[in-house]
Amino acid sequence: MQARIRIAVIALGATVLVLGSALGIVAARFDPNAYKSAIVERVQEKTRRTLTIGGDIKLALYPRLGVNLGKASLSELGGKGEFAALDSVRLSFALMPLLLRQEVVVDRIELRGMRATLVRETDGSMNIDDLTAARVKTGSAAQAAGNAGAGPARVRFAVDSIRVDNAHLRFDDRKAGRVFDIARLNIDSGPLAHGVPSRVALSANIGVDKPAFNTVLIFDSGFSLDRDTRRVAMTGLDANLDLSSRAGIESRAKLKGNIEIDFGQESIAAALNGKIDDSAVSGKGALRNGILQLDIDIDRVDLARYRARAVPGAAGEVPASGSAGDSAPDQPIDLSALARLRASGTLQVGELTVGGVRAANVHAVLLAEAGKTSIKPLSATLYGGNGNGAVSIDFADDAANPRMTLVQDLRGISLGPLLLDATGTTPLSGRGDVQLDLHTRGASSGAMLEALGGTAALRLREGAIGGIDLGRLVREAKAAAGVGSSAESTSFSELSASFRIDGGIAHNTDVAASTALLRIGGEGRFDLAKGTVDARLRCTVAAGPAGQDGPAAAVLGGLTVPVALSGPLTRMAWQVDVAALGSEAAHKLGTSTPGGGKDKAKEKARDALGGLFAH
């Protein structure tokens, strides 16, 4: 037995020696560069493209049998312009199939410094259509030859591994009007074979010009290929993305999950979960026939983090502390990325903050098609109440300046905290209902406010008008004009008003409010962009017994006190129309005094109002 084993080992060693010697002789005598011109001519004949091989072709025996090719480039169709180039390429071959079956099996590919430009024209054609068509034709011919049992040695790809170092791919999509740039692309994969589990690691710097952003992508994933169904299943994916935009937005994501790519149906389906900045995210998505389908669940998100910021030194930069009074900086708004979006899906957000306004249990249904994006319904709980409505963005008239509409029905909300979070001030508070039907357009927050139009209505209970104490003015009757203070307010039991909005100006003619002392009516004009008011209130004093609300209430019961409000809401100026008040008071007292007499009426009014009408 031992003798047989010894003989087998000796025979194996002799075989290896003979094969090694044969390969050495082939390597010493065979010059692959003698075939360079034939290869170039073959490529020209088959593709009508020019192949340029700048370096020498070298055979390699260790660690694998293979070919090393130096710098090379391939032209566009017809020989004009460079389509692709690389600094070096190495192809390794499996030895036994070559010796036993005259079959060339490429089992490892290494590419360094690859550069390529893909172009899709406006008609949908691509600059690789001739190559893909030639590949299909060649593959069919090779299959026919194989079935006939004749022909030279076959070439088969059973890649054990592939490595790409520092590649640069550019996709000029002229049909969509944008350019994708993939730089510093590195790929290291295991076997690419039907039904064989494998892994791939990839890193790249991906840039897009419209909208302008850049993403650093690093991921590692298991995968398997199904040649029959032309599907790639990626499992256990672990991806990290660092995104930055020209508008100053930065974001980081760490995601895990599975992705399936169906090349036959040209579709992608994914199920992912992880973190995007401070938000926990999970969801499913698919891309089929150019339509994106999404179902996303987020625990919490503050959209202020993703608001465009001015880039230092850029034209139109907004200073951090503007010189235009107390107005907020004008923020650029670019929605062009939505113009070509074709998508549908749902969004669930546990806690959402938009411009300081907080909402919970947000539910939204998205539909984007034919240049219009709508979110309907859009519902949430907020500030002790709930809201239901819809948002739409229509790019049909002007893709760069879309028309936006907002319809909201807010029920049972606490308005004061909402206004404080949204504007930093509380000009009005109370609990009740608000209805909004608004539309606008613009490339910035300021432009959108100036173009705002539509209607609004509110009905509140147990609230207050901030900045002025109308009851004090009536009770004390000492001053005719002044500036409002945040320490002052007018409490009311009920308030209702409706507004017609045009060009960022809200017009009102039906203010109605009730307090213990007053019945308030009036009209006004509110500049939403500048945050100013110009209003006239008619405060009718409720009749009551003397002493309940001071001498003024006893004297002025049933009279109307005219009050003018103007200026910024944060420092609203008020003015009582003294002449009108005095005339009405004197008239009322004169008609109620026995024997009439204007002098007696004026004297009584002067005594009650603390000398306000002394002259």
Side-chain angles (χ1 to χ4, degrees):
M1 183 67 178
Q2 292 181 352
R4 291 181 181 179
I5 294 176
R6 187 163 51 248
I7 293 171
V9 171
I10 293 173
L12 179 60
T15 302
V16 171
L17 180 60
V18 171
L19 290 176
S21 301
L23 290 175
I25 294 172
V26 170
R29 295 188 177 182
F30 178 71
D31 182 10
N33 292 284
Y35 295 89
K36 284 174 59 173
S37 59
I39 296 173
V40 170
E41 291 175 3
R42 185 71 169 176
V43 170
Q44 176 67 38
E45 176 187 344
K46 291 294 184 181
T47 68
R48 292 195 299 132
R49 294 173 180 253
T50 301
L51 174 65
T52 302
I53 303 175
D56 291 336
I57 303 176
K58 299 179 181 178
L59 286 179
L61 301 179
Y62 181 84
R64 296 187 180 190
L65 176 66
V67 174
N68 291 335
L69 182 67
K71 290 187 176 182
S73 64
L74 183 66
S75 74
E76 292 282 3
L77 182 64
K80 295 182 179 180
E82 182 181 270
F83 163 68
L86 41 81
D87 292 337
S88 68
V89 59
R90 176 187 172 93
L91 303 178
S92 299
F93 308 104
L95 179 60
M96 297 310 294
L98 180 62
L99 295 176
L100 299 178
R101 299 189 298 273
Q102 292 186 339
E103 185 179 44
V104 179
V105 178
V106 180
D107 66 354
R108 182 172 176 82
I109 301 174
E110 298 179 34
L111 304 175
R112 298 183 185 275
M114 182 177 68
R115 303 174 299 280
T117 300
L118 303 179
V119 178
R120 183 170 73 161
E121 300 292 350
T122 55
D123 62 0
S125 63
M126 297 187 64
N127 64 337
I128 58 170
D129 288 345
D130 61 306
L131 296 178
T132 55
R135 181 179 177 183
V136 172
K137 182 177 179 181
T138 303
S140 301
Q143 183 177 2
N147 293 337
R154 294 180 298 161
V155 177
R156 181 167 62 90
F157 285 84
V159 180
D160 182 62
S161 63
I162 183 171
R163 183 179 181 88
V164 177
D165 289 334
N166 197 28
H168 188 173
L169 305 178
R170 188 172 183 270
F171 178 36
D172 185 357
D173 191 348
R174 296 171 183 173
K175 184 175 182 179
R178 64 182 53 162
V179 175
F180 296 85
D181 192 82
I182 305 175
R184 301 173 186 172
L185 173 62
N186 298 287
I187 302 174
D188 194 353
S189 83
L192 275 67
H194 174 71
V196 177
S198 185
R199 292 202 68 82
V200 62
L202 181 148
S203 64
N205 192 323
I206 305 171
V208 181
D209 65 335
K210 294 179 183 179
F213 73 87
N214 186 78
T215 300
V216 177
L217 169 65
I218 301 174
F219 83 77
D220 181 274
S221 176
F223 74 92
S224 61
L225 307 176
D226 189 323
R227 186 177 57 224
D228 298 332
T229 61
R230 300 181 63 189
R231 292 181 179 178
V232 179
M234 308 187 73
T235 56
L237 180 143
D238 189 344
N240 292 271
L241 301 93
D242 287 352
L243 182 146
S244 60
S245 77
R246 189 177 299 169
I249 300 173
E250 295 184 353
S251 180
R252 291 187 175 183
K254 184 175 181 62
L255 303 173
K256 297 178 180 294
N258 304 317
I259 297 177
E260 183 175 287
I261 305 172
D262 189 330
F263 290 98
Q265 298 294 325
E266 296 184 350
S267 65
I268 301 175
L272 302 171
N273 63 82
K275 296 275 288 186
I276 298 179
D277 299 318
D278 298 325
S279 306
V281 179
S282 64
K284 298 183 295 183
L287 180 62
R288 298 185 180 92
N289 300 320
I291 301 175
L292 184 63
Q293 296 174 307
L294 293 171
D295 293 293
I296 301 175
D297 196 331
I298 306 176
D299 65 339
R300 65 180 184 274
V301 62
D302 185 352
L303 292 185
R305 183 185 186 112
Y306 308 104
R307 185 175 60 190
R309 300 173 179 85
V311 179
E317 178 185 353
V318 179
S321 57
S323 58
D326 298 328
S327 61
D330 193 12
Q331 299 292 338
I333 297 175
D334 183 5
L335 301 174
S336 59
L338 300 177
R340 301 179 182 87
L341 181 65
R342 299 177 63 200
S344 64
T346 61
L347 174 66
Q348 306 278 351
V349 182
E351 299 176 11
L352 175 65
T353 304
V354 182
V357 177
R358 294 168 287 113
N361 304 317
V362 178
H363 172 72
V365 177
L366 168 70
L367 178 62
E369 58 182 357
K372 184 176 182 179
T373 297
S374 62
I375 301 175
K376 181 181 180 180
L378 173 60
S379 63
T381 57
L382 67 167
Y383 298 93
N386 59 78
N388 290 278
V391 176
S392 69
I393 307 173
D394 194 339
F395 298 88
D397 296 334
D398 188 348
N401 196 23
R403 175 184 170 88
M404 290 163 276
T405 62
L406 168 67
V407 177
Q408 273 292 305
D409 186 6
L410 307 176
R411 299 286 179 174
I413 66 166
S414 183
L415 185 61
L418 189 155
L419 291 176
L420 182 63
D421 287 344
T423 67
T425 62
T426 313
L428 188 64
S429 65
R431 180 175 291 278
D433 306 332
V434 178
Q435 287 82 42
L436 302 173
D437 189 348
L438 306 174
H439 57 82
T440 188
R441 65 172 71 231
S444 67
S445 56
M448 290 174 62
L449 277 175
E450 292 177 355
L452 189 65
T455 61
L458 57 87
R459 184 178 296 275
L460 302 175
R461 302 175 301 279
E462 305 302 328
I465 302 171
I468 184 171
D469 188 346
L470 295 172
R472 179 181 63 81
L473 296 182
V474 172
R475 287 191 300 268
E476 297 180 359
K478 291 181 179 179
V483 177
S485 167
S486 59
E488 294 187 303
S489 63
T490 300
S491 298
F492 59 79
S493 57
E494 293 184 349
L495 184 147
S496 65
S498 63
F499 300 87
R500 176 180 56 82
I501 305 170
D502 185 22
I505 308 296
H507 302 270
N508 166 266
T509 59
D510 63 353
V511 170
S514 299
T515 76
L517 178 62
L518 305 172
R519 301 295 178 264
I520 303 171
E523 58 278 328
R525 178 180 183 273
F526 302 84
D527 190 323
L528 301 176
K530 297 178 180 177
T532 60
V533 59
D534 183 8
R536 301 290 182 271
L537 300 181
R538 297 180 295 277
C539 305
T540 301
V541 183
Q548 178 175 325
D549 286 298
V555 175
L556 299 179
L559 296 183
T560 298
V561 181
V563 179
L565 305 176
S566 61
L569 291 173
T570 54
R571 287 184 57 83
M572 184 170 53
W574 56 264
Q575 184 173 4
V576 177
D577 189 339
V578 178
L581 178 60
S583 298
E584 186 173 353
H587 176 75
K588 175 179 179 295
L589 292 176
T591 56
S592 61
T593 301
K598 292 183 179 180
D599 292 340
K600 292 182 179 180
K602 188 173 183 180
E603 182 179 351
K604 187 174 182 180
R606 180 177 66 246
D607 293 340
L609 299 177
L612 181 60
F613 306 118
H615 302 288

